[in-house]
Amino acid sequence: MNDDQNMPEPAAELQSATSGNYRLFENDLKDKHLLLSLPVAIYTCNNEGLIESYNDAAVTLWGRTPEIGKDHWCGSCSLFRPDGSVLPIDEYPVAIALTEREKITGTEIILERPDGEQRNVLSHPEPIFDDAGNISGVVTTLIDITVQKRMDSVLSATIEMKVRERIETLNRKTTDLLAREERYLKMIDEVQDYAILMLDKNGIIVNWNKGVQKIKGYSAHEIVGKKFSMFYREEDKLDGLPERLLNEAKEQGHALHEGWRVRKDGTHFWGSIAITALHDSENEVIGYTKVTRDLTDRKQYEEDLSLQAAELAKKNKKLEHSNSSLEQFAYVSSHDLQEPLRKIQTFSNIVLTRMHEPGFDAHEYLTKINASANRMSLLINELLNFSRFSNTDILREKTDLNWILDLVLNDFELLIKQKNAVIRRSPLPIIEAIPIQMNQLFYNMISNSLKFCSDTPLIDITARELPAEAVPALPILKPEKPYLHLNFTDNGIGFDQTNASRIFTIFQRLHDTQKYSGTGLGLAICKKITENHGGHISASSEAGKGASFDIYLPITEH
């Protein structure tokens, strides 16, 4: 390249130069011969950049013969960067080597020949120092890499074409895959009978479908990024149920569960849940899918069936109880009612057969007939009274038991005075009960105590309310409810404890029926009334030492 500006004076002769690694010239002739014979383009410049020597390979590369002592830096017409832009003089490799006093290795530049052809070369300039350490010039080697660059360009273009074709193929496959995935995701998204969630490995919601909004009431922005445990009841979260299900899915691949879940509005629904673990190529869990189905209708149906079964069992039990009562009625018909009827028939026949006998007095037999008829009438009335208390559908109301006891004691006022009976009572509470049945219960209990007392009757009536935890473990009693414990204790004739259950069976009489009147239905009615109210009655006694009756009644109906 020629540059008329700031051109240094030409050198008078080819200087002898040396480098740190090798000596180019020992004398002018020997050095010139070596320079000319090398197949690689080599040239030298003095410390001002003026060309002082070159070989034939350099002339061939440049496409021209430079002028010694006139041409600067390089024998080419122009120099360019690899990107095609003009290379400034201060960026010439030779100029940089002179300025920095260092060897420059493999700087790629483009040489433009006079005919316009451009060649890609690697420039290797190396400073030449004299014995005093001063730069005397630069020797530069130029390696033509044009063919290599063109081959690289062709190869690069081929590779680029292959890569482009591969990318296009992958893009087509990716497009098809994305289209299929989009159709799949759209199908999943449109499913509304199932709530489908995608969870990360920590149980955080990352995706959802429309079924979540339909079943649980949440939109996407309300749940994405939150833990899936938000759908569980507080008691289930405290019990660690969500974490257990996630851990089960992690260890076994999936987890199934049915239970109550919570909607956005706070209502509960019965959900069937399936959680499945998702794995990467290394079989590591990377997340989970969670599918929930609302089975509230099925659950309600099952509960209705269960209630119907319970109601049926209750009715069966009631029927069994009724059958038992019918058996007792049959016993009454075959024994207790038959007895006065047999007497009536016997005495009537006597009167009929002997009424015409001289001196026959029918009064005695007619009196016995009348007594038997009265006895039968009493039994029939008591049976009707017993059956009347079999109805458990009567509505209960708040009943003051103090008021009930006052009414009953008023009914027994004359008998109490006649027997000089002493009634001791504690305050009684108000409970939810059937007033007329409570009246009959108190009436029969006091009547029983007054009836079976040979001496001055002493009757104690006490009451105390029991909290749920103090309720006795009896089959009919519900441990979660509070109960009233009533106790009736007397100083009567008592009975053998082995007969404690018999006294509540209809027409079962333990004592002399001639001495102690009664039909044997009073305590049976008391048992019926307590059972009607969901309560229990029991008796304890010892012959000749009085009797004690314990009655447990629920304080409230529900």
Side-chain angles (χ1 to χ4, degrees), residues 6 22 33 74 147 195-196 257 259 293 320 326 331 371 378 401 422 439 455 470 526 537 543:
N6 300 322
Y22 61 90
H33 178 74
C74 183
V147 175
I196 303 175
H257 186 263
R293 187 180 181 189
E320 290 175 0
L326 285 175
Y331 172 80
L378 178 62
L401 297 184
V422 176
N439 187 89
D455 300 322
C526 291
I537 184 171

Side-chain angles (χ1 to χ4, degrees), residues 401-412 439 443:
L401 297 184
N402 288 298
W403 176 68
I404 295 293
L405 182 56
D406 289 339
L407 292 178
V408 171
L409 292 179
N410 186 62
D411 290 340
F412 284 108
N439 187 89
Y443 186 95

Side-chain angles (χ1 to χ4, degrees), residues 264-278:
K264 177 183 176 182
D265 60 6
T267 59
H268 292 171
F269 70 96
W270 187 263
S272 173
I273 291 86
I275 300 177
T276 304
L278 303 176

Side-chain angles (χ1 to χ4, degrees), residues 63-349:
R64 64 181 289 271
T65 301
E67 294 185 42
I68 300 296
K70 289 187 177 182
D71 284 341
H72 273 81
W73 315 118
C74 183
S76 177
C77 296
S78 301
L79 297 182
F80 300 91
R81 297 189 181 101
D83 63 3
S85 61
V86 175
L87 184 68
I89 293 176
D90 59 354
E91 293 184 19
Y92 284 9
V94 173
I96 294 174
L98 286 171
T99 302
E100 298 184 359
R101 298 169 58 87
E102 290 182 355
K103 178 181 178 180
I104 307 299
T105 302
T107 301
E108 183 180 351
I109 59 175
I110 297 176
L111 304 177
E112 186 173 270
R113 296 155 58 115
D115 59 3
E117 181 183 355
Q118 293 184 340
R119 309 292 292 183
N120 295 82
V121 299
L122 294 176
S123 178
H124 298 268
E126 184 173 353
I128 303 171
F129 298 91
D130 58 20
D131 293 337
N134 298 314
I135 294 180
S136 60
V138 177
V139 59
T140 303
T141 302
L142 299 176
I143 300 175
D144 189 352
I145 60 170
T146 304
V147 175
Q148 180 183 344
K149 289 287 289 187
R150 289 174 181 173
M151 290 180 64
D152 289 346
S153 177
V154 172
L155 181 60
S156 176
T158 303
I159 293 175
E160 182 180 354
M161 181 182 68
K162 295 294 184 182
V163 170
R164 186 165 55 251
E165 290 176 354
R166 181 62 176 164
I167 290 175
E168 289 176 356
T169 302
L170 290 175
N171 283 340
R172 285 196 301 271
K173 291 183 177 179
T174 302
T175 300
D176 293 341
L177 181 61
L178 289 175
R180 290 196 298 270
E181 183 178 355
E182 183 179 0
R183 288 195 297 270
Y184 174 75
L185 291 176
K186 187 170 182 61
M187 177 187 71
I188 294 297
D189 183 59
E190 293 298 326
V191 173
Q192 297 191 26
D193 291 336
Y194 294 83
I196 303 175
L197 294 170
M198 185 78 72
L199 312 176
D200 68 10
K201 61 182 180 180
N202 297 314
I204 303 298
I205 301 168
V206 296
N207 204 349
W208 72 300
N209 75 329
K210 291 181 180 177
V212 176
Q213 186 161 359
K214 177 183 177 183
I215 294 175
K216 303 183 180 182
Y218 290 95
S219 58
H221 72 275
E222 293 175 310
I223 60 170
V224 172
K226 297 181 180 179
K227 295 204 72 171
F228 82 106
S229 57
M230 66 185 292
F231 304 125
Y232 289 75
R233 299 180 301 174
E234 287 301 322
E235 54 265 40
D236 291 332
K237 287 190 282 187
L238 290 174
D239 189 45
L241 177 60
E243 291 76 16
R244 288 204 307 275
L245 292 176
L246 215 60
N247 190 57
E248 181 181 344
K250 179 179 180 181
E251 293 181 353
Q252 301 183 15
H254 67 277
L256 304 176
H257 186 263
E258 282 194 14
W260 291 109
R261 298 295 183 267
V262 183
R263 296 188 183 94
K264 177 183 176 182
D265 60 6
T267 59
H268 292 171
F269 70 96
W270 187 263
S272 173
I273 291 86
I275 300 177
T276 304
L278 303 176
H279 301 82
D280 60 15
S281 58
E282 302 297 327
N283 204 33
E284 294 292 330
V285 174
I286 58 175
Y288 304 88
T289 60
K290 178 176 180 289
V291 180
T292 302
R293 187 180 181 189
D294 186 355
L295 297 181
T296 306
D297 291 342
R298 190 201 73 181
K299 180 66 174 176
Q300 187 61 52
Y301 176 73
E302 290 176 350
E303 289 184 351
D304 289 345
L305 286 180
S306 178
L307 288 175
Q308 291 174 12
E311 186 65 25
L312 183 60
K314 183 178 178 180
K315 289 181 178 179
N316 285 338
K317 188 174 182 180
K318 185 176 180 181
L319 182 60
E320 290 175 0
H321 187 71
S322 297
N323 288 338
S324 176
S325 297
L326 285 175
E327 290 177 1
Q328 295 181 38
F329 271 81
Y331 172 80
V332 171
S333 300
S334 63
H335 185 270
D336 289 75
L337 289 178
Q338 289 287 353
E339 180 61 21
L341 182 60
R342 184 183 63 80
K343 289 180 178 180
I344 292 174
Q345 291 174 335
T346 298
F347 296 139
S348 296
N349 288 331

Side-chain angles (χ1 to χ4, degrees), residues 2-7 70 72:
N2 294 323
D3 191 346
D4 296 332
Q5 296 179 353
N6 300 322
M7 184 68 69
K70 289 187 177 182
H72 273 81

Side-chain angles (χ1 to χ4, degrees), residues 9-29:
E9 292 295 327
E13 59 182 355
L14 183 63
Q15 298 182 4
S16 175
T18 60
S19 71
N21 299 319
Y22 61 90
R23 185 182 298 275
L24 285 177
F25 308 106
E26 293 182 354
N27 56 63
D28 291 347
L29 292 177

Side-chain angles (χ1 to χ4, degrees), residues 28-39:
D28 291 347
L29 292 177
K30 184 178 179 180
D31 292 342
K32 288 180 180 179
H33 178 74
L34 177 63
L35 182 66
L36 293 172
S37 65
L38 290 174

